[in-house]
Each structure stands twice: as structure tokens, then as C-alpha cells.
């Protein structure tokens, strides 16, 4: 697994530029993911890699195409200092695992071997021998994650027909 | 009893609760669910994938084809066709296609689809615009739109708030855009993350409705969940003839808790711009005047309303756009376009050498109608100046008011409107 590390305010325009929104197929989106700030990302990313971002990750446009592109690229999890609120909702709604942990965000370096445990929120950096604890999700949001996304949780509750 | 902000009161009412507290997770009843031609197709796919077959209320869904329209390519045309088919199948009352459409956040208030005290979600980040009317409105993604269309409900974390007290009166050539850019410069692009921006103070009465729309529109650029204004006589005047259903104005409790208070003296503000590549990277125009430009865009959900066009026309009247500069003017709705024609603004723009377009979001997101080449720079009345936002990753967007944009078009560089 590899770490892709970016700075603060990674916006949804750089995660997936608007010129590629005319084809919302997740694979097509993934092929252009991050290209405006990291031309190598889409070429080198593999299933199980981890993306690390700074503060306000996913700011800007409401495009759900952004978490869809990251998820379809094979990224297993995003770890950031904080998330812009629409991206946060979208990631949970579509089932892209995200973790909020400022210490891990600062600590993890590109090239490190990192494990994440979604059940406990523990992030372990094997290279540095360090562990961090991500902020837990509120029960209601955890329910959406456990159901496999918002629409599945609504269907399960009988709230949507 | 808990003292509540304006936003909290609206959310409590829509959740059927006496009171709510910041941080509480609630499910609220929706008065309107919005989507556009980029986000609606993704919502439709999710809606169908989940096997849903009913919308909660065909009168409370708005689908506006505004981003890539009139369609810029075949793939965009397919997405519009998908939205059109869905709207027809579910008899969506408020479906706006090319010819009737406009930029969603200018169109919906104009059509009376947004009213004070309502809860509105939209699969577009600038849905926060309707806070200008005292509504709670916020941007969401496509899956939230799909869920909202199916259930008429959405979950929210009740936001804490920042109180923004406005005092004084704007000087000539200073407008709502300068207010919001100044505020974002003060608090940063995540300064209001997850929070409400609640505008208050005697200065509110000095702002036109169009200025308030511009300010609420860019609340998201400070990371806010929503931006909201109190309802006053000007709001009521705006709603007359547009909204005939009952609506309710909410007021913040005088003792409501705020995380922070910011005071802005409107009379001290100067024409302000945001340099690349963040809206918080603000400077006064006088600090950066003279930066050469190749393009100007006047329009968008932020600044494509009639007051914006009037301000630009007043500066461009009898003048010419500088050689080497392309000035693109886009009225935000068909109604605004008509008003601009009747007022003579369109003639002024064309005589000055501007291109005037049918309503579209086009250039704002680098979609079409003004995409930039490598190394080009644009002064734009839009809302974002991220890397690659309007074209090549080496192109640059400087955010500004319509007055600054018009002055810059004439000067061929960033220019102060009072000096043209």
C-alpha cells in the first residue's frame, strides 16, 4: 500500500475537475482523479492505498463525483485534519471510508506503511511504530455507514419507497 | 429553555421539536429539493439503483438544467436527456430546461420557490443563497438529493453559529461582493466550517436584496453550512407577487449563543478582490491594481442579477473593452436578461465589445463559454478561484464585484471602478 499525502484545502475541483463531470461513471472519474495537482496519482494508485489530507479536505463544489472518483480509484480510506461538510456527507452517503485525525495527518509520511481499523478508529503507522485514534462517528452516522450508505439505511428503515 | 439562533429555530420547527442545540443530529422536513444537470443524473442513478419508485412531492422538487447548457458536448447532452426523462416520468412541476431556465440560485427565488423559514437542500454547494430571504438552505450531494426526493426528509447536525454584525453603509462602487470577500478574508475558507453565518445589525437594512443574495451565496466559501439574513421590509417587498403560500419569519433569540462575533463596518470597506487560488486570499483593489488580464466574466449565481448588470453597465456605458481582453456577460435568468435589454444594458455591453450570453453557469466552473488557456488571467464575478477552476491549471481567476470586473475590462488590468 502507498500513501498519497496532500496539504490543506484540497478542493473538489482538483479532486475531479469540472471538465470531466460530463461522464459520471466512477471508473471514468477515477481516471482523472487529482490530475490538476498530481498527474501521477491516477497512473500509480492501487487498491488499498490511503489518501492523507490537511484541513478542510473536499471544500468547494457539492459534486459527489469527488468521493466517487477517490473511491473508484482504489483508495481504501481518506485521513484528514478536517473535512468540508458537503464532502463529509457525500463520503458517508456513498460509502467512502473517511477518518478525522489531525495527529495522524501530521505524523504519517509518504512511504510509510499504515493500517487502519474502521471498527476501533485506530490508525497504526508500522514504519514509525506509532498509533493514533481517529474521532469516532456519532451513532446515527455510524448507522448509515454500517448499512452501506444513506439510501440503503433509509430503505432498511422503511423511510423510502 | 434553550436560546436559539435563527437557523436553529427553523431546524427545530422542521424537526417537530421545541428546541434544538448545536451539535444535535436531527431529521428535518424539506420544503424544496433542488438539483442541476450535473448532480441530478447521479441522484437519478442512485434513486433507481435503490429501487425507489416514488417522489415525496412533485411540487417540492426543482430540477434546473443550467451548468453545461445549452449543451456543450454529447456527454452533457446525455445527462440533460436523463434529467428530462426523470422529470417527465415523475411529473416534476418545477423543471426548467433551456429557454425557461436560468442559473438555479437566481431562478428559484425569482420564481417564488424559496421563502423565509423554509428548509431547502440542493445538490449544488451554492444552495446557501436562499438564506438571503431568511430560509435555511444548504448544499448537499446527489445521494442526499435522491433521499430527499424520495422521503422529503434530510438529516442535519444542528450548526453552531458565527454572528456577523453589519453596521454603516456601503460607499459608492462597493457592493455585497466586497462584503463577503472581506469576511472570507477575515475568517478564512474554513472559518465557519459546519457553522451558520448569521448576519445582523443596522447595516443589513442598507443592503439591497441582490447584495444579500451575493453574500449568502458565498457563505460556503467560508466553509459555512448556511448564511442567513433576518427578514425585513425589503424581504417582504421582494416576496410580494412571487410567493403566495404562507411563510414564517424566524428571529434569533437575543440571548442566543454564538461561537464568535464579527463586526463589519460597511462604510470602511473598499473594492476587494480574491487572488488565486483561494477565496480567502483577499486584497483591496488598490493593492493589486495594474495586474494584466485577458478575460473578464460578469455573471454567475453570485453576481448575475439585475443590480450586478446595472453596476457593470454604468461603468461600461460609452466605453470600450481593452484590446486583448474578452469580456463575457451572462445574465443569470431569462427574466434578468429581459430586464437588462429593456434597461439598455445589453446594448451598452455589446457596444462596449462584450459578448452577451444566454443564462448558463458555463465559465464559472470551467465548463464552457469562457474556458481559459495556459497562463491566462481572468477577473471574474464568480465564486471560486481554485487551481484549474476556469481552465488550464496555470490560468488564474481573480474574484471581484461587477463594478471592479467592468472597470478591469476597460483598463485591461485589475482596476478601481472609481478611477475609470
Amino acid at each position: 500500500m502507498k500513501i498519497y499525502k496532500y496539504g490543506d484545502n484540497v478542493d473538489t475541483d482538483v479532486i475531479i475537475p469540472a471538465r470531466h463531470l460530463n461522464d459520471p461513471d466512477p471508473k471514468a472519474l477515477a481516471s482523472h482523479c487529482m490530475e490538476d495537482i498530481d498527474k501521477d496519482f491516477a497512473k500509480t494508485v492501487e487498491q488499498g492505498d490511503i489518501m492523507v489530507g490537511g484541513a478542510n479536505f473536499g471544500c468547494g463544489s457539492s459534486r459527489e463525483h469527488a468521493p466517487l472518483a477517490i473511491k473508484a480509484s482504489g483508495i481504501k480510506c481518506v485521513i484528514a485534519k478536517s473535512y468540508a461538510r458537503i464532502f463529509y456527507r457525500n463520503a458517508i452517503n456513498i460509502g467512502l471510508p473517511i477518518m478525522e485525525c489531525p495527529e495522524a495527518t501530521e505524523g504519517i509520511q509518504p512511504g510509510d506503511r499504515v493500517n487502519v481499523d474502521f471498527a476501533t478508529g485506530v490508525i497504526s503507522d508500522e514504519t514509525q511504530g506509532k498509533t493514533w485514534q481517529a474521532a469516532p462517528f456519532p451513532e446515527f452516522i455510524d448507522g448509515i455507514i454500517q448499512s452501506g450508505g444513506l439510501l440503503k439505511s433509509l430503505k432498511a428503515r422503511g423511510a423510502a419507497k | 429553555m434553550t436560546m436559539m439562533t435563527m437557523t436553529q429555530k427553523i431546524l427545530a420547527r422542521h424537526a417537530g421539536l421545541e428546541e434544538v442545540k448545536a451539535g444535535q443530529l436531527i431529521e428535518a422536513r424539506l420544503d424544496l429539493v433542488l438539483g442541476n444537470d450535473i448532480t441530478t443524473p447521479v441522484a437519478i442513478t442512485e434513486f433507481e439503483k435503490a429501487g425507489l419508485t416514488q417522489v415525496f412531492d412533485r411540487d417540492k422538487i426543482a430540477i434546473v438544467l443550467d451548468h453545461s447548457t445549452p449543451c456543450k458536448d454529447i456527454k452533457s447532452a446525455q445527462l440533460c436527456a436523463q434529467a428530462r426523462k426523470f422529470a417527465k416520468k415523475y411529473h416534476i412541476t418545477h423543471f426548467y430546461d433551456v429557454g425557461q431556465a436560468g442559473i438555479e440560485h437566481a431562478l428559484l427565488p425569482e420564481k417564488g420557490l424559496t421563502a423565509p423559514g423554509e428548509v431547502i437542500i440542493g445538490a449544488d454547494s451554492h444552495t446557501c443563497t436562499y438564506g438571503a430571504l431568511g430560509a435555511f438552505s444548504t448544499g448537499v450531494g446527489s445521494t442526499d438529493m435522491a433521499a430527499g426526493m424520495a422521503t422529503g426528509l434530510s438529516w442535519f447536525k444542528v450548526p453552531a453559529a458565527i454572528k456577523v454584525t453589519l453596521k454603516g453603509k456601503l460607499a459608492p462602487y462597493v457592493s455585497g461582493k466586497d462584503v463577503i470577500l472581506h469576511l472570507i478574508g477575515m475568517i478564512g475558507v474554513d472559518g465557519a466550517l459546519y457553522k451558520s453565518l448569521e448576519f445582523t445589525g443596522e447595516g443589513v437594512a442598507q443592503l439591497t436584496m441582490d447584495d444579500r443574495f451575493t453574500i449568502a451565496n458565498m457563505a460556503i466559501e467560508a466553509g459555512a453550512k448556511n448564511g442567513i439574513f433576518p427578514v425585513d421590509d425589503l424581504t417582504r417587498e421582494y416576496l410580494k407577487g412571487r410567493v403566495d403560500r404562507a411563510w414564517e419569519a424566524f428571529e434569533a433569540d437575543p440571548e442566543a449563543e454564538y461561537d464568535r462575533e464579527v463586526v463589519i463596518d460597511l462604510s470602511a470597506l473598499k473594492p476587494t478582490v480574491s487572488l488565486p487560488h483561494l477565496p480567502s486570499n483577499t486584497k483591496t483593489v488598490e493593492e493589486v491594481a495594474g495586474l494584466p488580464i485577458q478575460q473578464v466574466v460578469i455573471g454567475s449565481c453570485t453576481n448575475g442579477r439585475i443590480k450586478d448588470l446595472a453596476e457593470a453597465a454604468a461603468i461600461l456605458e460609452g466605453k470600450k473593452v481593452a484590446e486583448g481582453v474578452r469580456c463575457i456577460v451572462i445574465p443569470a435568468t431569462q427574466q434578468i436578461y429581459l430586464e437588462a435589454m429593456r434597461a439598455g444594458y445589453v446594448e451598452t455591453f455589446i457596444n462596449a465589445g462584450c459578448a452577451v450570453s444566454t443564462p448558463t453557469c458555463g465559465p464559472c466552473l470551467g465548463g464552457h463559454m469562457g474556458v481559459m488557456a495556459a497562463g491566462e488571467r481572468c477577473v471574474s464575478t464568480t465564486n471560486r478561484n481554485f487551481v484549474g477552476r476556469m481552465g488550464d491549471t496555470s490560468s488564474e481567476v481573480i474574484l471581484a464585484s461587477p463594478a471592479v470586473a467592468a472597470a478591469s475590462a476597460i483598463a485591461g488590468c485589475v482596476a478601481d471602478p472609481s478611477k475609470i
Side-chain angles (χ1 to χ4, degrees):
Chain A
M1 57 78 55
K2 296 187 293 305
I3 297 288
Y4 290 88
K5 188 167 177 174
Y6 304 103
D8 291 340
N9 304 310
V10 170
D11 62 78
T12 53
D13 274 274
V14 299
I15 295 172
I16 183 71
R19 60 183 175 275
H20 302 303
L21 300 181
N22 58 3
D23 186 355
D25 174 58
K27 283 200 189 75
L29 295 170
S31 70
H32 298 292
C33 190
M34 312 304 291
E35 71 180 22
D36 280 2
I37 56 165
D38 183 356
K39 291 215 179 324
D40 296 328
F41 175 81
K43 288 181 215 150
T44 56
V45 66
E46 291 170 294
Q47 200 66 38
D49 289 347
I50 291 175
M51 189 180 282
V52 177
N56 202 26
F57 187 92
C59 62
S61 155
S62 70
R63 61 189 70 159
E64 203 161 289
H65 312 64
L68 281 171
I70 295 174
K71 190 181 174 191
S73 74
I75 288 287
K76 171 166 77 173
C77 172
V78 181
I79 304 169
K81 224 175 249 185
S82 62
Y83 293 91
R85 57 162 290 276
I86 305 179
F87 183 91
Y88 180 88
R89 287 183 80 101
N90 288 347
I92 286 160
N93 287 345
I94 68 147
L96 168 69
I98 55 172
M99 298 174 114
E100 197 169 279
C101 187
E103 300 79 15
T105 301
E106 305 228 324
I108 296 172
Q109 297 305 322
D112 286 2
R113 186 151 190 92
V114 176
N115 278 319
V116 288
D117 184 333
F118 297 124
T120 59
V122 172
I123 302 167
S124 329
D125 188 320
E126 291 178 3
T127 312
Q128 299 187 38
K130 287 183 186 165
T131 61
W132 298 282
Q133 178 68 49
F137 287 108
E139 199 182 326
F140 175 81
I141 293 174
D142 198 47
I144 297 174
I145 298 168
Q146 298 308 327
S147 312
L150 179 65
L151 289 172
K152 282 186 187 146
S153 87
L154 288 173
K155 289 274 283 192
R157 277 170 49 197
K161 287 173 193 159
Chain B
M1 213 178 87
T2 308
M3 293 295 150
M4 290 187 280
T5 66
M6 199 174 161
T7 297
Q8 289 165 355
K9 283 189 176 176
I10 296 172
L11 287 174
R13 175 67 58 87
H14 282 72
L17 299 169
E18 281 294 312
E19 54 179 54
V20 294
K21 289 192 172 87
Q24 188 177 345
L25 284 157
I26 57 156
E27 197 162 50
R29 189 171 47 74
L30 302 173
D31 295 301
L32 190 70
V33 178
L34 162 72
N36 60 49
D37 53 310
I38 287 179
T39 57
T40 304
V42 178
I44 295 169
T45 303
E46 290 303 313
F47 188 92
E48 290 173 347
K49 211 164 73 186
L52 301 174
T53 53
Q54 286 176 29
V55 297
F56 85 108
D57 187 338
R58 70 187 192 94
D59 294 330
K60 291 185 177 174
I61 295 167
I63 297 174
V64 185
L65 308 186
D66 59 356
H67 273 60
S68 308
T69 53
C71 284
K72 71 187 179 90
D73 55 30
I74 296 167
K75 285 179 178 171
S76 305
Q78 287 301 134
L79 295 179
C80 285
Q82 191 186 357
R84 218 170 266 134
K85 194 173 150 196
F86 180 88
K88 196 169 177 190
K89 181 175 176 186
Y90 290 99
H91 307 283
I92 303 300
T93 313
H94 305 294
F95 172 69
Y96 296 99
D97 209 332
V98 172
Q100 295 85 47
I103 298 175
E104 48 196 341
H105 309 307
L107 185 73
L108 265 47
E110 181 186 288
K111 297 282 184 192
L113 297 179
T114 55
E118 293 187 337
V119 170
I120 300 155
I121 61 166
D124 187 282
S125 59
H126 293 105
T127 302
C128 51
T129 308
Y130 321 127
L133 296 171
F136 170 81
S137 61
T138 192
V140 296
S142 295
T143 298
D144 273 316
M145 181 195 178
M149 288 197 297
T151 64
L153 298 167
S154 197
W155 68 268
F156 299 102
K157 187 160 92 173
V158 175
I162 295 176
K163 184 179 190 175
V164 184
T165 304
L166 305 176
K167 56 179 199 173
K169 195 179 172 182
L170 294 171
Y173 301 112
V174 181
S175 67
K177 184 62 163 284
D178 302 295
V179 178
I180 189 65
L181 293 184
H182 178 77
L183 176 61
I184 297 165
M186 278 173 85
I187 68 173
V189 287
D190 59 355
L193 197 61
Y194 297 101
K195 294 175 186 169
S196 303
L197 284 171
E198 296 215 356
F199 295 92
T200 183
E202 29 114 7
V204 169
Q206 305 295 328
L207 296 171
T208 65
M209 271 324 298
D210 283 359
D211 281 327
R212 297 180 199 182
F213 282 123
T214 302
I215 293 169
N217 172 275
M218 284 190 71
I220 178 71
E221 263 62 65
K225 180 170 227 156
N226 69 315
I228 195 163
F229 279 85
V231 175
D232 64 8
D233 289 345
L234 198 64
T235 322
R236 289 184 192 91
E237 189 59 35
Y238 180 87
L239 295 165
K240 254 186 225 160
R242 298 180 198 271
V243 176
D244 51 15
R245 63 188 176 281
W247 52 265
E248 190 180 351
F250 290 81
E251 278 178 37
D253 288 319
E255 313 283 309
E257 265 185 47
Y258 294 91
D259 278 8
R260 181 178 174 186
E261 183 169 352
V262 173
V263 179
I264 297 178
D265 180 1
L266 299 176
S267 49
L269 293 185
K270 292 178 175 172
T272 301
V273 296
S274 296
L275 297 183
H277 288 285
L278 277 180
S280 55
N281 195 9
T282 52
K283 301 273 178 203
T284 61
V285 166
E286 51 190 20
E287 288 177 288
V288 294
L291 265 181
I293 57 169
Q294 291 75 41
Q295 181 164 295
V296 168
V297 171
I298 299 171
S300 82
C301 62
T302 308
N303 277 126
R305 296 182 184 79
I306 195 66
K307 175 180 176 278
D308 302 316
L309 300 185
E311 285 170 358
I315 290 166
L316 283 157
E317 173 65 40
K319 303 275 192 355
K320 293 282 180 201
V321 171
E323 206 181 309
V325 174
R326 316 171 296 264
C327 182
I328 301 154
V329 182
I330 309 181
T333 67
Q334 293 286 71
Q335 184 58 37
I336 294 166
Y337 204 151
L338 277 174
E339 280 177 52
M341 283 207 299
R342 289 183 194 127
Y345 305 152
V346 171
E347 200 167 338
T348 298
F349 294 138
I350 292 176
N351 283 337
C354 305
V356 184
S357 156
T358 191
T360 180
C361 305
C364 173
L365 69 160
H368 66 150
M369 285 301 297
V371 176
M372 285 194 287
E376 291 187 333
R377 187 183 289 135
C378 177
V379 169
S380 180
T381 69
T382 54
N383 42 56
R384 291 192 176 127
N385 54 355
F386 300 148
V387 171
R389 174 75 178 179
M390 202 179 271
D392 187 89
T393 51
S394 67
S395 65
E396 295 186 347
V397 175
I398 295 175
L399 304 177
S401 69
V404 171
S408 304
I410 296 164
C413 57
V414 175
D416 186 335
S418 67
K419 302 209 168 104
I420 289 290

